[in-house]
Amino acid sequence: MRLFKRYFKYLLLIFLNTLAFHGFAQREEYIQILERQNHWVDSVFNKLSRRQKIAQLFFVRAHTDKGERYEDSVANVIKDQQIGGLVFFQGGPVRQANLINKYQKIANVPLLIAMDGEWGIGMRLDSTISYPYQMTLGAIQDNNLIYKMGQQVAYDFKRLGMQMNFGPDMDVNNNPNNPVINYRSFGDNKYNVAQKGIAYLKGMQDAGLLTTAKHFPGHGDTNVDSHLELPLLPFTRKRLDSLEEYPFREAIKAGISGIMIAHMDIPALDNTKNLPSTLSRKIVTGILKDSLGFKGLVVSDAMEMKAVTKYFPNGEAEVKAFLAGNDIIELSENSETAILKIRKAIRKGQISQEEFDARVKKVLAAKYWSGLANFHPVSTVHLEADLNRPAAIELVQQLSDAAVTVLKGTPASLQLDPLARTAIISIGVDQKTTFQDELAKWYPNCKLFRVDKNTPAIQLNQLLEVLRHQYDQVFIGIHDTRLRPQSKLDYSNEVKKFITDLAEHQNSVTCIFANPYTIATLPGIEKSGAIIACYQMSDDLQRSAVKVITRRLKATGKLPVSVNVLFPNGTGIGL
């Protein structure tokens, strides 16, 4: 009987842990705990000096790929300034776990650890999983898959000792030439962006991770990268309310824990010349906090970006960001100087004591909600195996399968004749691709060809003649190998013309493993017998495309953006 009871308790524990991981267990939202007094928060707050309270609002940059000297410099900032948190960038998972343990040990108040993980920790760390880009996710019709992705991303963050993701991106990308958002957005339809973003953030938050929708009030219709210059958003207040702000309003209703402010010049909201929205009290406090009623963490975009430092250097930007209403000041160029200047602004009465105290307590409450009141060091035992677990790998393939979008074609024009003379071509690459390997298994009478981005015209013309006269059918893979797939391919004009000519082959299937906007830059591609949008160059999406071609997978994806008049938003044939 005793053995039975012990076994029953063991099974019950497994069951409850499973419920918690999958989001079914009731978990109080971060926003909810702000509504009442918290003894841990009050206890920590009361022990801090004014300077230390200000420092809790500062999050500084951290890397594990810059060597010991850099790591020690961050450690010195933690010791000397007792900042509130860190934002990790490039490196490796084991190195980062060890470094987090080291940094937490020297912090008087546990550090809140964040990362930009829009497509998971693989966005920053080697040897880890990357989920599809948000543009790819925008094509998926089953939002429950995106919720599950949020849970898996949260597991990775927490397993590494991190508590906050600076994601999802909830910008409506209605400018195809946007150089900084683009593929990071769920698309150009505000409703789809809101629904996908909420599914993602709910998955993360239900699994215990703080999230941050960005970049308020909306960075999707800009043609300037705010890392380099201050973008101008010239639209009316009515347009901004109805379009750009819509996903953020919906995220607030859904209980989002954090929102990041964009660095943009928005005259309709604040006509102060060259004032980034991050530094505008009218926008941060007046609109986001007061009008929209957001109670969670307001996070500045990186304060080291040129959009800010160009006009407000030497700590001036941080003071303005603080006075504007930001709760977390991210990546200050000189946090020590900025803290001193903010301290002076408080002494001068430029902000009420009540508002200042509430901001500090909000950050401390985030630490409490994340479990940092009972901090435990990160275990590195089986860390890489845990971060590359089969369930996560399988989900990446499921997401890829669900995203593939048939823009043109019929069952016959997709599969073609398995026994005919078949050419399988990958363009834009310097080696054989997964697309070719997988497709070749189904077409025994095939030959593989490769065309790089700058193949000379004479070679292209010779190949075109061979393909026209010696092969009955052609499968074409268009690949963008860049880490950041932009709206225009980095192919030579000769290679682009080759693609157009190839599409005219009487039996051709074209698969685009690239940003969907690139389709508009390849006039004539619509002549191909079948066209499949696959959004990015990943092995998973290449396998998914072959599944669709060989009729083992029904394509359910829909274009999340309008490419041109031939392929508007929502295009997608269920084959």
Side-chain angles (χ1 to χ4, degrees), residues 88-213:
F88 269 90
F89 288 84
Q90 278 69 25
V94 175
R95 299 195 303 275
Q96 179 166 312
N98 287 327
L99 204 55
I100 286 174
N101 288 339
K102 174 184 174 180
Y103 289 158
Q104 291 286 21
K105 193 173 181 179
I106 60 177
N108 292 337
V109 179
L111 297 158
L112 195 66
I113 310 293
M115 178 184 278
D116 282 298
E118 294 163 27
W119 49 92
I121 60 174
M123 182 172 172
R124 300 295 182 189
L125 301 180
D126 60 38
S127 312
T128 59
I129 290 174
S130 285
Y131 291 88
Y133 296 138
Q134 289 190 192
M135 183 74 77
T136 308
L137 300 176
I140 295 174
Q141 300 306 294
D142 181 4
N143 290 340
N144 188 51
L145 285 173
I146 298 170
Y147 176 86
K148 290 179 180 178
M149 172 182 150
Q151 291 183 303
Q152 296 288 348
V153 169
Y155 175 90
D156 290 339
F157 267 71
K158 293 173 71 179
R159 180 66 182 85
L160 268 170
M162 296 188 289
Q163 298 80 37
M164 188 174 198
N165 189 1
F166 288 154
D169 189 305
M170 295 188 74
D171 297 309
V172 181
N173 196 82
N174 44 7
N175 184 342
N177 295 315
N178 193 318
V180 66
I181 305 302
N182 205 310
Y183 65 94
R184 297 166 59 194
S185 164
F186 290 111
D188 62 14
N189 180 288
K190 67 180 183 180
Y191 302 108
N192 192 42
V193 170
Q195 290 162 9
K196 296 288 190 294
I198 289 169
Y200 188 14
L201 72 88
K202 290 293 283 183
M204 288 188 281
Q205 289 185 184
D206 285 353
L209 188 69
L210 294 162
T211 65
T212 318

Side-chain angles (χ1 to χ4, degrees), residues 327-538:
D327 302 308
I328 291 175
I329 299 173
E330 184 201 359
L331 308 187
S332 168
E333 282 196 311
N334 189 326
S335 54
E336 185 175 19
T337 298
I339 289 168
L340 291 174
K341 289 191 174 185
I342 288 174
R343 190 179 179 188
K344 187 180 292 185
I346 294 172
R347 280 204 305 267
K348 289 181 177 179
Q350 293 179 263
I351 188 172
S352 72
Q353 190 66 43
E354 182 182 14
E355 182 181 345
F356 169 57
D357 291 351
R359 295 233 221 116
V360 178
K361 288 184 178 182
K362 199 189 292 187
V363 173
L364 293 175
K367 296 184 178 187
Y368 177 83
W369 185 86
S370 302
L372 286 171
N374 298 297
F375 170 73
H376 298 287
V378 182
S379 170
T380 57
V381 178
H382 307 306
L383 178 59
E384 290 200 27
D386 290 346
L387 297 175
N388 291 278
R389 59 203 173 279
I393 294 169
E394 181 182 349
L395 180 59
V396 174
Q397 189 63 63
Q398 289 176 334
L399 291 162
S400 301
D401 288 350
V404 173
T405 307
V406 176
L407 302 180
K408 178 185 178 183
T410 64
S413 67
L414 268 179
Q415 190 169 15
L416 299 178
D417 182 355
L419 300 178
R421 295 173 300 172
T422 304
I424 305 174
I425 307 167
S426 278
I427 301 172
V429 294
D430 57 10
Q431 59 186 359
K432 189 170 60 168
T433 63
T434 299
F435 174 68
Q436 290 177 304
D437 280 338
E438 292 295 315
L439 201 52
K441 296 173 184 177
W442 298 84
Y443 293 86
N445 191 16
C446 76
K447 185 172 181 179
L448 309 183
F449 296 88
R450 178 180 55 78
V451 173
D452 67 33
K453 299 175 183 180
N454 297 294
T455 299
I458 189 168
Q459 292 181 26
L460 294 172
N461 292 332
Q462 290 170 352
L463 177 56
L464 197 59
E465 287 301 306
V466 170
L467 296 171
R468 281 171 174 167
H469 297 104
Q470 297 182 24
Y471 290 89
D472 302 313
Q473 55 199 28
V474 180
F475 289 99
I476 309 157
I478 297 172
H479 305 263
D480 190 345
T481 59
R482 294 174 293 183
L483 183 63
R484 300 179 180 276
Q486 296 301 313
S487 301
K488 297 176 182 177
L489 293 164
D490 57 344
Y491 295 1
S492 69
N493 290 332
E494 290 77 13
V495 171
K496 290 180 182 177
K497 182 179 183 302
F498 173 77
I499 293 170
T500 301
D501 293 338
L502 204 53
E504 294 179 353
H505 194 289
Q506 60 180 353
N507 295 308
S508 63
V509 177
T510 303
C511 298
I512 299 98
F513 302 104
N515 190 314
Y517 289 125
T518 60
I519 296 168
T521 68
L522 299 169
I525 197 174
E526 68 277 1
K527 295 177 182 177
S528 186
I531 302 173
I532 306 177
C534 302
Y535 303 99
Q536 64 186 86
M537 185 178 168
S538 71

Side-chain angles (χ1 to χ4, degrees), residues 313-325:
N314 304 322
E316 187 181 351
E318 287 84 346
V319 175
K320 285 188 172 294
F322 170 75
L323 296 176

